[in-house]
Amino acid sequence: MLNSGLTPAKSLSIEVAERICAERGARFTPLRRTALEVLLEFNGPVSAYDFLPALAQRLGRRLAPPTAYRALGFLLEQGFICRIETRNAFTLATHLEDRNAGVFFLCDHCGATVEVDADGITELLAGRAAALGFEVGRRIVELQGICADCRYTTAAVEGQSQVVRGRRA
Amino acid sequence: MLNSGLTPAKSLSIEVAERICAERGARFTPLRRTALEVLLEFNGPVSAYDFLPALAQRLGRRLAPPTAYRALGFLLEQGFICRIETRNAFTLATHLEDRNAGVFFLCDHCGATVEVDADGITELLAGRAAALGFEVGRRIVELQGICADCRYTTAAVEGQSQVVRGRRA
DNA sequence: TTTATTATGTGATAACATAACAAAATCCTA
DNA sequence: TAGGATTTTGTTATGTTATCACATAATAAA
Ligand SMILES: [Zn+2]
Ligand SMILES: [Zn+2]
Ligand SMILES: [Zn+2]
Ligand SMILES: [Zn+2]
């Protein structure tokens, strides 16, 4: 399983998020806290529209899309989660220290997603940017392909990770 | 202007596309040919829904979204165009030889987009993939930020490139 | 020619995301 | 602590992106 053993180095928790927000003067409201709780429970990427009912259920009330997107937006701003562009999905960040530092490996077959540190790549891209006079904000690096499990296994194994709706191959 | 002077090394044309398709046994139908013509005329990235009426007009008939997406899908398969994930847009590929080899620099301010060769980055990512046993298919590398022009100019300069609808800062 | 395959037309719908404005909560300062 | 400014959340509606499903047409293969 591509995800196994690769839990975040500095694991994000509600407590950690609370401390970080306090340090930054960011308001970790009940909605935002609950949103992070929901994401912590998802074992992998989740689409905004799968996240929405999960958040609503946990809060015990109906929610409309903007509320979900705002909560996700806050968590993105704080660097607690990352957006996977090629899946329209959101997942816990594995790197609280350096935002946009990750490289995503995304299995087209089983949907497994793993984020690894972008050492070296960051520097290389910074060099290219400098040559162009380009000031880099957000970096997106996503690699689609077939994960080790799917390469070495005859049949697709299910349940390897939460898979975004409709994206399972 | 970030784009200036950076026309594709091996410039794509209808003739080149025709030859490539013939070599591959791919059917370069009138619709697909016209789709490529339309994209050649766009000076930069275009959304599917901006592309759709342009294609329809050139064909002189109404088209529905699936037709546009199918044509774009074909051009993507052949490596004639690239999809810019963070803009939901399509643009001519600058690298006919090596698919998914590019790195996109995307200006958040003026919308300029430039694709450069991914030398070094490709190898670095391949190394990471190998370490994970991951077989890489498509690579996405997109850097968002501020282009040289926008950094060194007081006011935003317009008309630097075709900008995807609603994405101009 | 017959049959299979591939490509396109068409209407509907799914999936993803934000605009706009109102109401509530929080913060700030006098 | 009151009052006003700011931020957050609620709510309705709508905008944007992408695909399904099935019919028809064009092409390729037998
Ligand atoms: Zn990340
Ligand atoms: Zn897999
Ligand atoms: Zn490209
Ligand atoms: Zn710019």
Side-chain angles (χ1 to χ4, degrees):
Chain A
M1 203 181 313
L2 198 54
N3 266 333
S4 65
L6 286 167
T7 41
K10 300 181 180 179
S11 200
L12 181 61
S13 64
I14 297 297
E15 294 71 30
V16 170
E18 182 144 62
R19 181 176 50 71
I20 292 173
C21 287
E23 287 170 4
R24 293 175 182 164
R27 288 162 61 178
F28 198 47
T29 64
L31 175 68
R32 292 164 174 177
R33 170 190 303 267
T34 308
L36 183 55
E37 287 169 4
V38 168
L39 281 156
L40 283 164
E41 286 182 3
F42 271 95
N43 181 27
V46 60
S47 80
Y49 277 78
D50 283 346
F51 166 74
L52 173 52
L55 179 59
Q57 179 172 33
R58 186 175 258 265
L59 289 168
R61 61 179 195 261
R62 260 185 80 267
L63 295 180
T67 300
Y69 278 100
R70 285 171 187 145
L72 291 170
F74 175 83
L75 298 177
L76 285 168
E77 276 176 8
Q78 299 305 320
F80 298 156
I81 64 174
C82 294
R83 182 184 155 87
I84 303 179
E85 294 293 336
T86 54
R87 299 242 191 279
N88 294 326
F90 303 84
T91 195
L92 289 180
T94 59
H95 43 73
L96 294 181
E97 57 301 331
D98 186 6
R99 206 165 309 183
N100 303 138
V103 171
F104 279 100
F105 288 85
L106 309 170
C107 182
D108 293 332
H109 188 72
C110 69
T113 72
V114 63
E115 185 180 19
V116 305
D117 201 50
D119 288 331
I121 292 151
T122 300
E123 290 73 15
L124 209 55
L125 292 174
R128 297 303 183 86
L132 287 170
F134 190 93
E135 182 183 332
V136 178
R138 184 169 170 231
R139 273 189 303 276
I140 293 96
V141 183
E142 300 182 12
L143 304 183
Q144 299 177 347
I146 309 296
C147 77
D149 266 18
C150 289
R151 286 175 72 193
Y152 303 130
T153 307
T154 39
V157 183
E158 69 288 86
Q160 299 196 341
S161 78
Q162 282 284 347
V163 172
V164 177
R165 174 177 51 200
R167 295 292 180 169
R168 186 180 284 274
Chain B
M1 201 181 313
L2 199 54
N3 266 331
S4 65
L6 286 168
T7 42
K10 301 182 179 179
S11 200
L12 180 61
S13 64
I14 297 296
E15 294 71 30
V16 170
E18 182 144 64
R19 180 176 51 70
I20 291 172
C21 287
E23 287 171 3
R24 293 175 182 166
R27 289 162 62 178
F28 198 47
T29 64
L31 175 68
R32 290 164 175 178
R33 170 189 304 265
T34 308
L36 183 55
E37 286 169 5
V38 168
L39 281 158
L40 283 163
E41 286 182 4
F42 272 96
N43 180 27
V46 60
S47 80
Y49 278 79
D50 284 345
F51 166 74
L52 174 52
L55 179 59
Q57 179 171 34
R58 187 175 257 266
L59 289 169
R61 62 178 194 261
R62 258 187 81 266
L63 295 180
T67 301
Y69 277 100
R70 285 170 187 148
L72 292 170
F74 175 83
L75 299 176
L76 285 168
E77 276 176 9
Q78 300 305 319
F80 299 155
I81 64 175
C82 295
R83 183 185 153 85
I84 304 179
E85 294 293 336
T86 54
R87 298 241 190 282
N88 294 325
F90 303 84
T91 195
L92 289 180
T94 59
H95 43 72
L96 295 180
E97 57 301 332
D98 187 4
R99 206 164 310 183
N100 301 138
V103 172
F104 279 100
F105 288 84
L106 309 169
C107 182
D108 294 332
H109 187 73
C110 69
T113 73
V114 62
E115 185 179 19
V116 305
D117 202 50
D119 288 331
I121 293 151
T122 300
E123 290 73 14
L124 208 56
L125 292 175
R128 297 304 183 85
L132 286 171
F134 190 93
E135 182 183 332
V136 178
R138 185 168 171 233
R139 271 190 304 276
I140 292 96
V141 183
E142 300 181 12
L143 304 183
Q144 299 177 347
I146 309 296
C147 79
D149 266 19
C150 289
R151 287 176 71 192
Y152 302 130
T153 306
T154 38
V157 184
E158 68 288 86
Q160 299 197 343
S161 78
Q162 282 283 346
V163 173
V164 177
R165 173 177 51 199
R167 296 291 179 172
R168 188 181 282 274

